[in-house]
Amino acid sequence: MPGGKKIIFLGDSITDAGHNFQPVREGELGLGDGYVRRIAAMLHGEEADIRNAGHDSFTVQGLLRMLEWDCLRHSPDVVGILVGCNDAAVCMNTGRTLDETGFAESYKRLLKRIREGTRARILCMGPFIFPCPLEYRNWIPLIREIEAAEQEAAREAGALFIPLHEMLNREAEAVGYDQITVDGIHLTERGGGDHSL
């Protein structure tokens, strides 16, 4: 809604959820088929201008590169961030450690730039992975390390942090992994529901 509270979601394919490829009617912004659309539906009728600025395959470095275009120039009131799974993939596929990729420093820099460039409240959502298929079980310690780095950065920046890994895995154990995730990384419609925020 023009003139309403501006909410921007930054992230990777989990945030993107196909929004960059969806045809939209004139005057509309594509929200994708994931949690951003669900949040917009929950806020229906309230004054809110919600933007999906997720990009498939993005790491925290990608968010930094696109931050001015995707976020700062819009002067948002709230910024949500969900990133880390692709950073884990970089480590798992190259043998580099999280320290060697500079993840923690980059994430802190991301929050600092948002703090200095806007008056937005920041909501940091931790990354998650499911041990189904089993190959992703080996990723869990790294996802936990990324989660800890993000939580520390959020605390230092005065941002809210939501640990999604524990929440989503607990839900998946209760109802079945196929109800929450399509491939161990991306969420089903139920997985992207309001329990995650």
Side-chain angles (χ1 to χ4, degrees):
M1 177 177 293
K5 193 172 287 286
K6 294 180 182 176
I7 305 172
I8 296 177
F9 291 95
L10 307 175
D12 52 28
S13 59
I14 297 164
T15 300
D16 181 348
H19 93 280
N20 280 316
F21 299 102
Q22 287 180 335
V24 294
R25 293 191 295 264
E26 187 174 343
E28 287 186 352
L29 293 171
L31 296 177
D33 292 321
Y35 75 89
V36 176
R37 179 172 290 283
R38 296 288 294 270
I39 291 171
M42 289 165 54
L43 295 177
H44 182 69
E46 298 186 26
E47 288 199 6
D49 173 7
I50 298 179
R51 296 173 182 267
N52 186 333
H55 296 276
D56 191 21
S57 301
F58 262 28
T59 62
V60 68
Q61 293 290 345
L63 297 190
L64 278 166
R65 280 194 305 273
M66 293 293 291
L67 190 62
E68 177 64 39
W69 178 261
D70 282 342
C71 179
L72 303 184
R73 70 189 183 105
H74 298 291
S75 300
D77 299 293
V78 179
V79 177
I81 305 166
L82 175 53
V83 72
C85 195
N86 291 318
D87 298 272
V90 168
C91 293
M92 295 300 293
N93 293 322
T94 66
R96 296 167 69 195
T97 66
L98 209 57
D99 283 343
E100 288 171 338
T101 68
F103 177 84
E105 293 77 12
S106 294
Y107 195 84
K108 288 179 180 180
R109 189 159 65 250
L110 178 72
L111 300 189
K112 185 172 188 280
R113 286 188 60 194
I114 295 170
R115 273 277 178 253
E116 292 176 349
T118 74
R119 295 182 178 180
R121 295 179 62 194
I122 304 173
L123 168 64
C124 300
M125 296 169 276
F128 51 85
I129 198 92
F130 301 92
C132 183
L134 283 176
E135 65 191 85
Y136 290 132
R137 188 182 299 275
N138 294 334
W139 291 44
I140 292 175
L142 187 55
I143 289 291
R144 289 295 206 179
E145 190 179 344
I146 292 170
E147 179 184 62
E150 291 184 359
Q151 188 166 19
E152 179 183 351
R155 181 182 52 78
E156 290 177 1
L160 179 64
F161 181 81
I162 301 177
L164 294 182
H165 178 79
E166 189 70 37
M167 295 168 66
L168 289 169
N169 273 276
R170 189 167 54 241
E171 181 81 1
E173 288 169 10
V175 303
Y177 285 97
D178 62 339
Q179 295 295 308
I180 302 299
T181 180
V182 296
D183 57 7
I185 296 175
H186 300 92
L187 300 173
T188 62
E189 184 175 351
R190 179 172 181 170
D194 58 6
H195 62 82
S196 65
L197 287 175

